Amino acid sequence: MKILNFFALLLIPSLLQASHENDLQLWSKFKIEKKISKKENLNIFYGHRLRENITIKSKALYDFSYQRSFKKINIRLGFRSSNNFSKNNQKSTSLRYYFDISHRFKINDFNISTRSRFQNQSEMEEVEEVLRFKISLSNSKLKKIKPEISYEYFQDLTNEIENKFRLTTSINFDLKKRFEYEIYYRLQSRTNNLDNSSIYIIGSTLSYNIK
């Protein structure tokens, strides 16, 4: 219970601050994972996002990926198609290709995972290339309920002004019949945040594992 209280304390200041901001978002995701061998997985998910204080549609996306495990690392190749909506509900489509390398290790009672990602995204004849670096920390003793905190940095290779970071606190629930449910709270902000604008995100993910 001590670690659950710790994560709750992390969430409260951000929630209080978010109530005074003009961009609170709601992200939801349904994910299916299929194990095709001892070391290979296929993943597909559908995501839906609302923005502007959860009043208008922001994105609807489909993501497909293949993961291969090795002795100490995992690699993932993925593709994402997103329908993006403006404030007046005009739609545009973006396509993303990405490549991940991830590694997980343990220190005392904590699991630490790292992920490096390169992604290439195109939308309306504009191409964006981004490097992403993520580190996550969770308690290895907790099985059914798993709190986690993570930090991710985005290095935009085409426009340095768009560099940003994400700080996320989450709780994952191991449900019966191969279901998992995650809820999280996320702060997203540009590293060069001259206008003092940030995005606050409440999110959830429902996952199903097909064996």
Side-chain angles (χ1 to χ4, degrees):
M1 291 302 297
K2 289 183 179 180
I3 193 165
L4 291 176
N5 293 334
F6 170 72
F7 278 90
L9 289 173
L10 288 176
L11 285 173
I12 290 172
S14 297
L15 285 168
L16 293 175
Q17 186 176 3
S19 63
H20 296 86
E21 297 294 332
N22 60 3
D23 199 0
L24 178 65
Q25 301 191 6
L26 179 66
W27 293 8
S28 57
K29 181 194 300 184
F30 177 65
K31 177 182 176 182
I32 297 175
E33 180 176 345
K34 170 64 176 177
K35 195 173 187 66
I36 56 178
S37 72
K38 290 183 178 181
K39 297 184 178 182
E40 296 174 294
N41 293 328
L42 292 177
N43 298 275
I44 179 173
F45 73 75
Y46 169 77
H48 187 267
R49 300 178 182 178
L50 301 175
R51 62 187 177 97
E52 302 301 325
N53 292 324
I54 320 178
T55 58
I56 63 174
K57 185 188 298 184
S58 174
K59 285 180 183 289
L61 58 92
Y62 293 91
D63 190 288
F64 309 87
S65 64
Y66 163 81
Q67 178 176 300
R68 166 78 180 187
S69 300
F70 296 91
K71 287 185 177 181
K72 294 184 178 182
I73 64 171
N74 296 327
I75 62 169
R76 183 188 297 270
L77 296 171
F79 167 77
R80 177 178 297 185
S81 176
S82 302
N83 290 325
N84 309 305
F85 299 89
S86 66
K87 290 184 179 180
N88 56 4
N89 206 34
Q90 291 184 336
K91 184 177 72 172
S92 63
T93 301
S94 62
L95 302 177
R96 176 187 297 181
Y97 301 89
Y98 59 90
F99 171 72
D100 293 354
I101 299 178
S102 58
H103 174 56
R104 182 184 294 269
F105 57 97
K106 184 177 179 181
I107 298 179
N108 296 328
D109 293 334
F110 292 95
N111 289 323
I112 300 173
S113 61
T114 63
R115 188 191 72 185
S116 300
R117 168 177 291 185
F118 171 78
Q119 67 184 42
N120 177 290
Q121 182 166 297
S122 59
E123 181 179 3
M124 300 178 63
E125 299 183 355
E126 293 187 3
V127 178
E128 177 187 63
E129 293 185 337
V130 178
L131 288 175
R132 300 168 57 171
F133 306 95
K134 181 178 181 180
I135 183 167
S136 304
L137 174 68
S138 62
N139 191 298
S140 61
K141 290 186 175 181
L142 301 176
K143 303 301 181 182
K144 294 296 183 179
I145 301 178
K146 302 176 184 177
E148 182 177 282
I149 185 169
S150 66
Y151 175 85
E152 185 170 16
Y153 177 74
F154 293 65
Q155 176 70 46
D156 194 317
L157 302 179
T158 54
N159 186 358
E160 188 174 341
I161 297 177
E162 296 299 322
N163 292 348
K164 61 186 178 183
F165 71 89
R166 287 176 178 170
L167 179 62
T168 306
T169 56
S170 64
I171 301 178
N172 190 290
F173 300 89
D174 187 4
L175 307 178
K176 295 181 179 180
K177 297 182 180 180
R178 298 183 294 218
F179 280 98
E180 290 186 0
Y181 181 69
E182 178 192 31
I183 55 174
Y184 61 87
Y185 189 77
R186 174 174 293 159
L187 164 66
Q188 178 177 295
S189 181
R190 293 178 180 172
T191 54
N192 186 13
N193 195 0
L194 298 178
D195 58 358
N196 198 30
S197 62
S198 298
I199 298 173
Y200 296 88
I201 301 156
I202 300 171
S204 65
T205 302
L206 179 63
S207 302
Y208 179 68
N209 189 355
I210 303 175
K211 294 185 178 180

